[in-house]
Amino acid sequence: MKKILVASALAALVSGAAQAADLRICVEGAYPPFSATSPSGELIGFDIDITNALCDEMGKECELVQTEWDGIIPALLERKCDAIIASMSITEERRKTIDFTDKYYQTPAVFVAAEGAGIPDTAEGLADKVVGVQRGTIHHDYMTGEFPDVELRLYGTQEEANLDLQAGRVDAVLADSVTLDDGFLKTPAGEGFAIFGEPRTDETYFGVGAGIGVRKEDTELRDALSAAIAAIRENGVYDEISSGYFDFDVYGD
Amino acid sequence: MDLTLPLLHWDMFLKGVLVTLQLTAIAVAIGFMIAMPCAIIRAERPGSLADRLVRAYVYFFRGTPLLVQTYLFYYGLAQFDFIRNSFAWIFLREAWWCAVIAFSLNSGAYATEILRGALATIPRGQTEAAEALGLSRWQTRLLIQIPLALRNALPQYGNEIVFMLHGSVVASVITIQDILGAGRTLNAKYYVAYEGFISAAILYMAITFTLVGIFRLIEKRYLGYLHVRSDNRRTPAVAAADR
């Protein structure tokens, strides 16, 4: 009897939380306010709330798998998770590798620098400046594509790029407007910094909004998630969640 | 898996190799310059104030991971206004210098213990003979003890350099495009997981084996007397002792 107990306890330990969940969702956890890790280690943010709402809507048990951004698509392809809900923009480039649901929000990208730095947002104006971006993002692609003369610094997370902007190691960062505004400018750390230049929406780089990434063969899951997005848009759950984070329409038009 | 990707970006990897080699070489060189006096203090003045300071330094840098040390220098120190306003910021502002400082101090701590051990194993008779010949304290150190210690420390020092090479991957987390940084950028660019890492692994392996080979040659040159000669040259006495 004792042996059986020990064996089952061991089995429970080894299999851990991996069992039981219907769906495993890759999230990032370092991209506030969309995805962040609370001081107690919990995953919080808009992406997380949307994930939970979608899972409820579909009647599925979901498990969150926290994954580094630059390994998140490989994690999906290697079946470490079944879907990516991590503010990932739907771009043609990514569509070559994975498939996307309809968008669940859309916000433009902006540059941020020290207040009154007076940097023009043109290729010539930024030519001798150092700009920080998160490695493997649409912002990284945009900078290499449109600003080839700018000295780029690549970071694993946006939070690290912001730290170096604060420290003065980079002159500017380019990232999503909301994550920069809520995750940096509105915090004490962001004091003395401001958005400059035009918001960026160029579809070739920035795509058509953030969607949920799935493997190409999982068309059924893709359609179910798209339907669930439409459903929570319809029944008011989406608005309830987004009003808790933003004072504007984050879904875009 | 598509192994043409790294070949397509060979220039990125080549730059990465140069950065990694430079970082490792500088860190090991500065580390040695820190370690030599520290090891002499540890070996000759145990218990003194200087010895305690050296021990605290070694204790800290061997007791914490290199990644944490590098983060402390790069993101940690940048949090303080007085550091950002000071002269030191000229260096600490650059990721490159933060890595050089952290890696050198780390390598120095390990090398201190290696050299201290090597100094401690020098037979007392060697020092006594030097004294008997009328060599001064410094002459004894420079002509007898340090050369002997370096020779004894060779195998371990070779290991330390290989460890430093492998530890230098930490540079890629503070925006330095070393070999791993090149691999990560490749992965991020094509949304793959293996191609970048495999390429990095092969490059690190090639450098490691080259280093190991170089050290084997140096050891053959300076520690050759420790090896028994090959069979046909054996004297009958040695051959008999072997049985």
Side-chain angles (χ1 to χ4, degrees):
Chain A
M1 189 59 203
K2 237 182 191 170
K3 263 186 191 161
I4 299 173
L5 271 179
V6 171
S8 56
L10 266 179
L13 262 180
V14 172
S15 58
Q19 57 181 199
D22 303 323
L23 274 180
R24 284 175 302 162
I25 312 286
C26 273
V27 297
E28 191 196 359
Y31 198 64
F34 294 106
S35 182
T37 316
S38 75
S40 59
E42 256 174 299
L43 286 161
I44 50 170
F46 181 74
D47 282 348
I48 311 298
D49 289 352
I50 289 288
T51 305
N52 291 331
L54 292 175
C55 292
D56 285 348
E57 181 62 36
M58 297 191 297
K60 300 254 193 208
E61 187 93 20
C62 290
E63 184 201 336
L64 299 181
V65 183
Q66 196 175 354
T67 312
E68 295 266 318
W69 173 258
D70 59 8
I72 211 162
I73 289 182
L76 175 72
L77 297 176
E78 284 151 24
R79 301 182 178 272
K80 299 216 165 56
C81 58
D82 304 301
I84 300 171
I85 304 187
S87 298
M88 184 176 278
S89 301
I90 306 164
T91 63
E92 282 314 306
E93 199 56 37
R94 289 184 180 131
R95 265 194 207 283
K96 289 178 191 160
T97 320
I98 60 173
D99 205 354
F100 285 100
T101 62
D102 297 336
K103 71 165 180 176
Y104 67 97
Y105 80 82
Q106 183 170 21
T107 49
V110 290
F111 283 109
V112 162
E115 230 161 350
I119 307 172
D121 68 341
T122 57
E124 297 79 46
L126 278 161
D128 56 340
K129 301 282 185 252
V130 185
V131 176
V133 292
Q134 189 178 4
R135 181 187 278 124
T137 57
I138 47 176
H139 315 107
H140 180 185
D141 290 342
Y142 180 70
M143 289 307 296
T144 33
E146 298 292 310
F147 295 83
D149 296 333
V150 170
E151 190 184 337
L152 265 195
R153 292 277 161 80
L154 305 178
Y155 295 87
T157 67
Q158 186 59 41
E159 287 171 344
E160 287 172 339
N162 296 345
L163 274 176
D164 263 6
L165 176 65
Q166 236 179 301
R169 289 193 179 110
V170 297
D171 298 308
V173 294
L174 175 74
D176 177 77
S177 53
V178 176
T179 197
L180 278 179
D181 199 31
D182 285 29
F184 181 59
L185 292 178
K186 281 184 185 158
T187 67
E191 218 173 294
F193 294 92
I195 291 172
F196 70 94
E198 292 295 309
R200 311 281 150 155
T201 49
D202 188 342
E203 215 173 271
T204 8
Y205 294 102
F206 297 107
V208 289
I212 301 171
V214 294
R215 286 181 292 269
K216 279 189 170 172
E217 65 269 23
D218 289 348
T219 48
E220 218 167 285
L221 175 63
R222 181 197 67 197
D223 295 342
L225 283 165
S226 287
I229 293 172
I232 62 168
R233 290 275 304 155
E234 195 68 36
N235 65 17
V237 173
Y238 183 95
D239 291 334
E240 204 179 300
I241 293 172
S242 74
S243 65
Y245 290 95
F246 315 111
D247 46 17
F248 58 93
D249 179 17
V250 74
Y251 188 76
D253 34 44
Chain B
M1 213 159 47
D2 181 6
L3 288 179
T4 54
L5 290 181
L7 294 177
L8 209 64
H9 293 277
W10 63 272
D11 53 331
M12 188 167 75
F13 281 97
L14 179 68
K15 270 185 217 153
V17 168
L18 293 178
V19 167
T20 293
L21 287 179
Q22 264 179 30
L23 260 182
T24 310
I26 295 175
V28 169
I30 301 180
F32 176 76
M33 289 188 256
I34 298 172
M36 204 65 240
C38 285
I40 292 175
I41 291 169
R42 291 277 286 120
E44 293 186 10
R45 299 262 181 283
S48 67
L49 177 66
D51 176 55
R52 269 182 255 170
L53 288 175
V54 170
R55 263 162 63 192
Y57 155 65
V58 171
Y59 189 76
F60 176 78
F61 279 93
R62 295 212 308 174
T64 53
L66 183 58
L67 178 63
V68 175
Q69 293 159 16
T70 311
Y71 268 141
L72 278 175
F73 277 106
Y74 190 71
Y75 289 118
L77 290 180
Q79 299 284 300
F80 301 106
D81 282 333
F82 70 91
I83 288 185
R84 287 217 300 275
N85 295 329
S86 76
F87 163 76
W89 188 243
I90 299 171
F91 296 104
L92 292 174
R93 169 173 215 286
E94 303 293 333
W96 172 263
W97 285 107
C98 287
V100 165
I101 295 169
F103 293 3
S104 302
L105 288 171
N106 184 280
S107 181
Y110 281 95
T112 298
E113 283 306 289
I114 294 173
L115 293 175
R116 182 194 64 84
L119 283 169
T121 56
I122 295 173
R124 179 101 186 85
Q126 300 274 356
T127 326
E128 279 170 359
E131 264 168 43
L133 285 172
L135 296 186
S136 74
R137 196 69 209 89
W138 272 110
Q139 280 174 320
T140 312
R141 278 191 196 114
L142 285 175
L143 299 174
I144 311 293
Q145 290 174 312
I146 292 176
L148 279 174
L150 287 181
R151 194 145 91 168
N152 288 342
L154 261 181
Q156 271 183 299
Y157 220 105
N159 278 343
E160 161 55 23
I161 293 175
V162 170
F163 281 139
M164 195 64 249
L165 170 75
H166 292 171
S168 74
V169 295
V170 163
S172 74
V173 300
I174 56 165
T175 76
I176 296 172
Q177 283 287 81
D178 66 347
I179 297 175
L180 182 63
R184 283 184 165 195
T185 303
L186 186 87
N187 282 349
K189 198 172 166 60
Y190 295 99
Y191 313 119
V192 293
Y194 291 113
E195 284 83 343
F197 290 144
I198 291 271
S199 317
I202 291 171
L203 289 171
Y204 281 115
M205 213 149 67
I207 299 175
T208 302
F209 285 142
T210 313
L211 275 176
V212 169
I214 292 173
F215 262 83
R216 194 167 294 153
L217 286 179
I218 302 177
E219 279 173 36
K220 214 170 171 181
R221 170 81 178 76
Y222 290 101
L223 297 176
Y225 68 95
L226 290 176
H227 296 283
V228 182
R229 290 186 180 183
S230 59
D231 280 330
N232 55 359
R233 287 213 195 153
R234 272 189 190 178
T235 60
V238 171
D242 267 6
R243 276 189 221 112

